[in-house]
Amino acid sequence: MADQSILQLDIHDHHVVMDNGILAVTLSKPYGNVTGIKYSSIDNVLEVRDKEAHRGYWDLVWNSGTPGTTGTFDEMRGKEFEVVVQNEEQIELSFKRNYSFKDKEVPLNIDKRFIMLRNSSGFYSYAIYEHLREWPPFNLPQTRIVFKLRKDKFHYMAIADNRKRSMPLPDDRVGGRGKTLDFPEAVLLVHPREAAFKGEVDDKYQYSCENKDLKVHGWISMDPSDDPPVGFWQITPSSEFRSGGPLKQNLTSHVGPYALAMFLSAHYGGEELVLKLNADEPWKKVFGPVFFYLNSVPNGRDPLCLWEDAKIQMTKEVQSWPYSFPASQNFPPPNQRGRLTGNLYVLDTYVNQEQMPAAEAYVGLAAPGDAGSWQTETKGYQFWTKTDAYGSFSIENVRIGDYNLYAWVPGFIGDYRYDVVISVSAGSDMDVGDLVFEPPRNGPTLWEIGIPDRSAAEFYIPDPNPNYINKLYVHHPDRFRQYGLWERYAELYPDTDLVYTVGVSDYTKDWFFAHVNRTRNDGSHLPTTWQIKFTLDNNIDKSGIYKLRVALATANVAELQIRVNNPEVEPALFTTGQIGHDNAIARHGIHGLYRLYSVDMSRSVLVEGENTIFLSQIINTSSFNGVMYDYIRLEGPPSDVSTRS
């Protein structure tokens, strides 16, 4: 390897090597696939038993506009190679593929970039995608960077302080060692090579993570033959180029030691999160840069020190964002960006007559649209922050462009949108002043179930079937990540469905986290109807409108029908129609897309004394049809305090 004070670039007929004396990265030429990474005592940290093209690569999935989240897999191999920057401080390489009508490729110009800096224990990658107006329309369900690490060395994965563990091997899933469960990604380890994994479920979806928390994750090689132990980490200092906002969930790994940098995916959202480019629609976007960091620790020290060091490096990368070194003019440096500040308040006079600071609220800039549209926005950039205890916020390093300002406040239902398009220019520093969010409200709260936080995590999450356990999530805050929890409903309610009595029941114990079908012994599925029983006193308003607020944390090929006091009446008082392809039930996600419904209830459907609301999920084609509730509230008619819809 080169001297640590010298950056060296070696160009050969079919490959190119960047070497800074700390690590050496080999890329195929002109494809731009990473075929080798030499670091410390390991000649190649990538899976040497795979073909060179399948070790480290960008990829995408696209189709010509057909519905769904599948399509043609494309490893985005470059056709032109160029040295963009080569000096004492930096090497930047370009691997480009321009679209041609003659090719049967995705109609994009793609420019993949790789950067190595002097004295840096890692390398960066980003890409520019461009679609010209005259090119064909197409859909883009997914794009990402994949690194396949050596299966004989990298066996320990870390995502968070409480989400790290030794992992089973890919070989444990095949050849009679594993048994496929209800979907191919989930495998019960029957005869694994390491006895400690026997009886566990291996499922990549158990390691998904929300964008807001997905800043560093990776793998550690603790192979005794390695001196010292080595870590490989994927660091994402900003989520501005990711779709779906801060709560969008993405994969972190695959089967075995994969490191994934996910930029766009339909996971936990379905087709609503597929990027769809229309005819006559120009589009350009920069994905990244992201940083791939390698570290080591002398033998004798705890290898988990590598995780602690990776978190420190992540903080340094976040503080350095936006980077000043990428050479593409499509990536704006700090002085070509803007800043937005302000204060957000909540006004709900049924809670407080005065405006309240919107503490710990999520505030963001995204493409102009309806309130809440940021959830499914895929084409532009998003910039998010959280308010402080006083509701103050500052959104830094915003790209030039037009945005709406969006927000949502934990503890309150609904979405906020500032109804003025905000134009950010280079160097701008804007203060929008005091903004007031008035969450949906009709009248006083008569009763409520849950916490309005866009998650079903506060409800009853059962212990897993002891035959299908991931040991990581035993006694873990994310206990919902265990496999097969949806099947526990039929065990807990074998003959009758859930009945919740307001004022008596406890939603942490008596409200099952997912409204799913009941699976019968023959494998068929019965739709289920849950009941909420409550009492209205003798002062029931005979002329006003009561309003039921139903906030869903997720829906998957479901139809929720609502009836009051008569479970057989047709038509139902309210139906959502068929909604959702979030698949969060099967993928242990506890939430997908947020949906809020408001149902009017007149005096004609309510009675003095005991009332019952019937919640029926009527689609029963699989175990995974269903919804998760975020929060349910019944409001009385407007009082003298306030009147809002």
Side-chain angles (χ1 to χ4, degrees):
M1 295 176 67
D3 185 275
Q4 287 197 21
S5 63
I6 300 174
L7 268 176
Q8 183 172 309
L9 178 64
D10 294 325
I11 301 175
H12 304 273
D13 289 342
H14 300 293
H15 67 276
V16 58
V17 182
M18 301 186 295
D19 190 339
N20 66 0
I22 301 172
L23 74 161
V25 178
T26 302
L27 300 109
S28 59
K29 169 175 166 280
Y31 293 160
N33 291 340
V34 182
T35 63
I37 302 173
K38 179 176 174 58
Y39 176 76
S40 186
S41 62
I42 306 179
D43 286 337
N44 194 350
V45 304
L46 303 182
E47 182 48 78
V48 294
R49 289 174 290 185
D50 276 352
K51 294 180 180 180
E52 287 193 343
H54 296 159
R55 297 174 184 175
Y57 53 89
W58 284 77
D59 71 30
L60 58 81
V61 175
W62 74 283
N63 62 61
S64 58
T66 56
T69 59
T70 60
T72 301
F73 178 80
D74 184 345
E75 285 185 0
M76 298 164 49
R77 295 182 179 182
K79 296 180 180 180
E80 301 174 19
F81 166 71
E82 179 185 0
V83 179
V84 180
V85 176
Q86 184 180 8
N87 56 43
E88 294 180 352
E89 299 296 326
Q90 175 178 340
I91 294 170
E92 181 165 344
L93 308 178
S94 166
F95 300 86
K96 186 180 296 184
R97 186 180 79 188
N98 289 331
Y99 173 67
S100 169
F101 280 94
K102 295 181 294 184
D103 298 327
K104 295 182 179 179
E105 295 171 341
V106 57
L108 287 173
N109 286 339
I110 298 172
D111 186 357
K112 300 183 295 183
R113 301 288 184 99
F114 293 87
I115 299 172
M116 179 174 281
L117 303 180
R118 185 168 67 91
N119 294 329
S120 174
S121 188
F123 61 99
Y124 299 83
S125 188
Y126 69 107
I128 305 105
Y129 294 10
E130 182 179 30
H131 177 264
L132 300 186
R133 183 184 299 276
E134 61 270 22
W135 290 353
F138 75 99
N139 293 348
L140 187 66
Q142 177 175 285
T143 191
R144 62 185 183 175
I145 304 175
V146 180
F147 281 97
K148 300 179 181 179
L149 306 178
R150 288 182 60 163
K151 290 182 289 188
D152 61 331
K153 294 183 178 293
F154 290 89
H155 300 159
Y156 193 95
M157 184 174 71
I159 304 168
D161 287 337
N162 64 354
R163 298 180 71 193
K164 54 185 189 288
R165 62 165 293 176
S166 295
M167 296 289 287
L169 298 171
D171 295 347
D172 292 333
R173 300 168 60 94
V174 298
R177 295 185 179 275
K179 175 186 176 183
T180 301
L181 299 174
D182 282 0
F183 47 92
E185 294 86 352
V187 171
L188 178 65
L189 304 180
V190 181
H191 301 293
R193 295 181 184 276
E194 292 189 38
F197 296 123
K198 185 174 182 178
E200 286 206 57
V201 172
D202 184 37
D203 181 355
K204 66 181 181 181
Y205 293 114
Q206 292 178 322
Y207 305 103
S208 298
C209 190
E210 293 176 342
N211 281 343
K212 65 182 177 62
D213 301 319
L214 190 49
K215 295 179 180 178
V216 56
H217 66 279
W219 293 77
I220 298 174
S221 171
M222 300 181 183
D223 190 329
S225 66
D226 293 337
D227 182 12
V230 167
F232 183 96
W233 309 100
Q234 194 269 299
I235 296 177
T236 305
S238 170
S239 288
E240 67 179 44
F241 39 77
R242 285 175 169 153
S243 62
L247 301 187
K248 168 70 171 70
Q249 297 178 88
N250 277 306
L251 296 175
T252 60
S253 92
H254 231 284
V255 176
Y258 280 47
L260 303 180
M262 302 294 300
F263 302 122
L264 174 71
S265 83
H267 294 123
Y268 303 96
E271 191 169 354
E272 291 181 82
L273 278 163
V274 173
L275 189 155
K276 299 178 180 179
L277 286 171
N278 302 312
D280 300 321
E281 183 177 7
W283 175 73
K284 181 185 287 188
K285 189 169 185 177
V286 177
F287 294 101
V290 294
F291 184 46
F292 298 95
Y293 177 61
L294 290 91
N295 58 2
S296 60
V297 62
N299 261 337
R301 291 190 62 192
D302 184 356
L304 292 184
C305 291
L306 298 174
W307 165 244
E308 299 301 321
D309 176 68
K311 291 190 295 179
I312 293 171
Q313 186 64 40
M314 177 270 290
T315 300
K316 292 178 181 178
E317 299 297 325
V318 170
Q319 292 172 345
S320 300
W321 186 270
Y323 300 131
S324 58
F325 53 80
S328 173
Q329 294 182 353
N330 294 291
F331 182 80
N335 63 359
Q336 293 298 309
R337 294 171 176 245
R339 176 173 178 259
L340 185 79
T341 58
N343 304 288
L344 182 65
Y345 296 89
V346 178
L347 179 60
D348 184 342
T349 53
Y350 289 100
V351 176
N352 191 320
Q353 287 291 311
E354 304 295 328
Q355 294 178 4
M356 299 168 285
E360 300 297 311
Y362 290 80
V363 182
L365 294 174
D370 297 330
S373 61
W374 53 269
Q375 284 193 112
T376 54
E377 202 285 311
T378 57
K379 297 175 184 177
Y381 301 90
Q382 297 195 20
F383 303 86
W384 287 87
T385 190
K386 289 184 76 174
T387 61
D388 63 17
Y390 305 100
S392 298
F393 62 87
S394 179
I395 305 176
E396 310 285 341
N397 300 310
V398 181
R399 282 172 161 264
I400 296 171
D402 293 336
Y403 303 90
N404 275 145
L405 184 144
Y406 302 95
W408 67 275
V409 185
F412 297 90
I413 62 174
D415 279 279
Y416 172 78
R417 185 192 71 164
Y418 181 46
D419 293 330
V420 175
V421 174
I422 295 171
S423 296
V424 176
S425 58
S428 63
D429 191 349
M430 303 170 61
D431 187 342
V432 293
D434 294 344
L435 306 177
V436 180
F437 171 41
E438 297 189 42
R441 173 68 79 169
N442 180 67
T445 299
L446 300 183
W447 51 259
E448 58 188 348
I449 301 173
I451 301 170
D453 60 359
R454 306 190 176 218
S455 165
E458 70 268 27
F459 297 124
Y460 177 68
I461 298 170
D463 291 332
N465 183 322
N467 296 321
Y468 303 108
I469 281 183
N470 183 321
K471 293 176 184 176
L472 174 62
Y473 296 114
V474 176
H475 308 302
H476 192 281
D478 291 359
R479 54 187 290 127
F480 56 82
R481 297 188 188 277
Q482 295 280 13
Y483 173 85
L485 297 182
W486 57 87
E487 298 290 6
R488 298 303 315 279
Y489 180 80
E491 297 171 21
L492 293 168
Y493 300 93
D495 302 311
T496 59
D497 286 322
L498 183 151
V499 177
Y500 187 93
T501 302
V502 172
V504 177
S505 301
D506 178 348
Y507 64 75
T508 67
K509 300 175 182 178
D510 304 315
W511 190 271
F512 197 76
F513 78 102
H515 189 165
V516 292
N517 294 314
R518 182 185 294 106
T519 302
R520 295 188 287 195
N521 292 334
D522 63 1
S524 62
H525 309 284
L526 285 175
T528 55
T529 296
W530 292 9
Q531 299 179 41
I532 304 173
K533 293 184 176 295
F534 62 97
T535 300
L536 290 178
D537 61 27
N538 294 333
N539 295 321
I540 183 172
D541 189 312
K542 297 183 178 181
S543 59
I545 297 296
Y546 292 73
K547 196 174 288 280
L548 183 71
R549 309 284 188 180
V550 180
L552 300 182
T554 191
N556 189 64
V557 194
E559 180 175 350
L560 181 64
Q561 295 183 352
I562 299 176
R563 295 173 174 84
V564 181
N565 290 329
N566 182 352
E568 307 297 333
V569 67
E570 293 292 347
L573 177 65
F574 173 83
T575 180
T576 61
Q578 182 171 312
I579 53 172
H581 289 85
D582 299 9
N583 222 1
I585 295 170
R587 293 174 175 174
H588 336 292
I590 209 61
H591 73 82
L593 298 177
Y594 176 77
R595 297 168 173 86
L596 177 63
Y597 299 97
S598 298
V599 183
D600 289 346
M601 294 183 178
S602 68
R603 174 66 182 85
S604 62
V605 299
L606 296 169
V607 299
E608 293 179 357
E610 185 176 282
N611 290 263
T612 303
I613 293 174
F614 297 92
L615 304 172
S616 299
Q617 197 297 109
I618 66 168
I619 298 179
N620 62 324
T621 56
S622 85
S623 300
F624 308 127
N625 300 129
V627 301
M628 295 182 194
Y629 299 94
D630 166 43
Y631 175 73
I632 302 176
R633 180 172 77 208
L634 181 65
E635 300 170 6
S639 69
D640 293 337
V641 175
S642 178
T643 302
R644 287 190 302 278
S645 61

